[in-house]
Amino acid sequence: RLATQCRAVLIGWPVGDLGFVSQNLECMKSSSALFPIKFEGLELGYTAALPLCPAFSDSLDGAGIHLIAGRNGSGKSTFIRTIAGLQKPLSGGIYWGDKDLRELRAYEQAQSIAFVSSTPPRSSGLQVNEVLSLLPSSELDRQRVLEEVDAGDWGDRRLSSLSDGQAQRVMLARALLQDTPWLALDEPTAFLDAPSRTAMWQTLTRLAQSGHAMLLASHDFQYLEGKEALLSVHAFTEKGWRDISEMERASEWEASL
């Protein structure tokens, strides 16, 4: 059970769903095409607490980076986790294409969206290749995704020996290996130093330009100003959810919060 829980944590599935992790690892790889994400009357928050913002409806579609901005505690991380199926909304519906998220089984969710948290796991004694081997994959595929995140020679290194920036690259490689239409990233550069942060943004924008769809919450949105990879910008403001895609400058995005 402990080994199964380790898999769940490293792969990004909720630990409470260990039965799925044990029984459905072989169902992991996705063959799904890119789909729009729609949400209607969505209220975010936690049970027995007030919603984080007024109910809202919108949709996100297309390959590229869909940026979610907001102040601390505004709801952006909760939104990422809710859209990714890791947390239930207080009310409202979420639709991946024509499918109601509430009706999808855990393995179907894992075939559609891969999640990268703000803090990579560091306590594991596993080597990088062993971390990636938790997903059904070939050695060639594992090497390919490591090279995609500029970590091609890290396979034999232990996760616990890596810096935060390096470990986060491994988690991004793991998400790419999951081979899903969407990547959901919750503040992926939050705990990185300046050089690692710059390198991570370069990697993310390159991946987005190559056809990956990303739902991404971040405070470091100045790195995305003027980038062709940026497809939409939405923010959790004092008045709630707002589409600010028409604004072109990071200073404008910040002022809207």
Side-chain angles (χ1 to χ4, degrees), residues 139-179:
E139 182 177 350
L140 183 62
D141 283 339
R142 293 192 293 273
Q143 184 61 34
R144 174 182 56 79
V145 295
L146 285 175
E147 290 176 356
E148 283 191 74
V149 300
D150 299 321
D153 58 350
W154 296 359
D156 294 332
R157 298 181 64 178
R158 295 199 179 278
L159 194 63
S160 57
S161 73
L162 301 180
S163 69
D164 287 337
Q166 290 170 332
Q168 193 67 309
R169 285 181 175 275
V170 174
M171 292 300 101
L172 178 57
R174 187 276 309 157
L176 292 173
L177 190 61
Q178 200 168 320
D179 192 26

Side-chain angles (χ1 to χ4, degrees), residues 62-142:
I65 295 175
H66 298 268
L67 172 65
I68 310 299
R71 296 179 182 271
N72 287 334
S74 63
K76 59 186 183 300
S77 293
T78 304
F79 174 74
I80 294 288
R81 293 182 59 83
T82 301
I83 293 297
L86 300 177
Q87 180 174 330
K88 293 182 179 180
L90 294 179
S91 64
I94 301 171
Y95 304 92
W96 294 355
D98 59 356
K99 299 177 180 178
D100 189 328
L101 177 56
R102 292 167 292 193
E103 298 176 357
L104 295 179
R105 299 182 62 182
Y107 79 86
E108 294 175 300
Q109 296 179 25
Q111 290 175 334
S112 302
I113 294 184
F115 177 73
V116 179
S117 70
S118 58
T119 308
R122 301 296 309 283
S123 58
S124 170
L126 295 177
Q127 293 181 343
V128 169
N129 276 331
E130 293 173 326
V131 171
L132 298 182
S133 295
L134 295 174
L135 291 174
S137 57
S138 68
E139 182 177 350
L140 183 62
D141 283 339
R142 293 192 293 273

Side-chain angles (χ1 to χ4, degrees), residues 208-223:
Q209 288 175 323
S210 70
H212 292 277
M214 300 182 187
L215 180 60
L216 189 155
S218 181
H219 292 289
D220 299 325
F221 43 67
Q222 68 273 14
Y223 288 90

Side-chain angles (χ1 to χ4, degrees), residues 38-51:
K38 302 177 183 179
F39 33 99
E40 299 176 355
L42 191 63
E43 282 191 320
L44 304 173
Y46 299 86
T47 304
L50 293 174

Side-chain angles (χ1 to χ4, degrees), residues 233-252:
V233 185
H234 293 79
F236 287 97
T237 72
E238 291 182 350
K239 296 182 179 180
W241 174 265
R242 182 183 175 191
D243 185 346
I244 58 173
S245 301
E246 76 282 356
M247 300 179 183
E248 297 182 355
R249 301 184 64 84
S251 59
E252 295 178 287

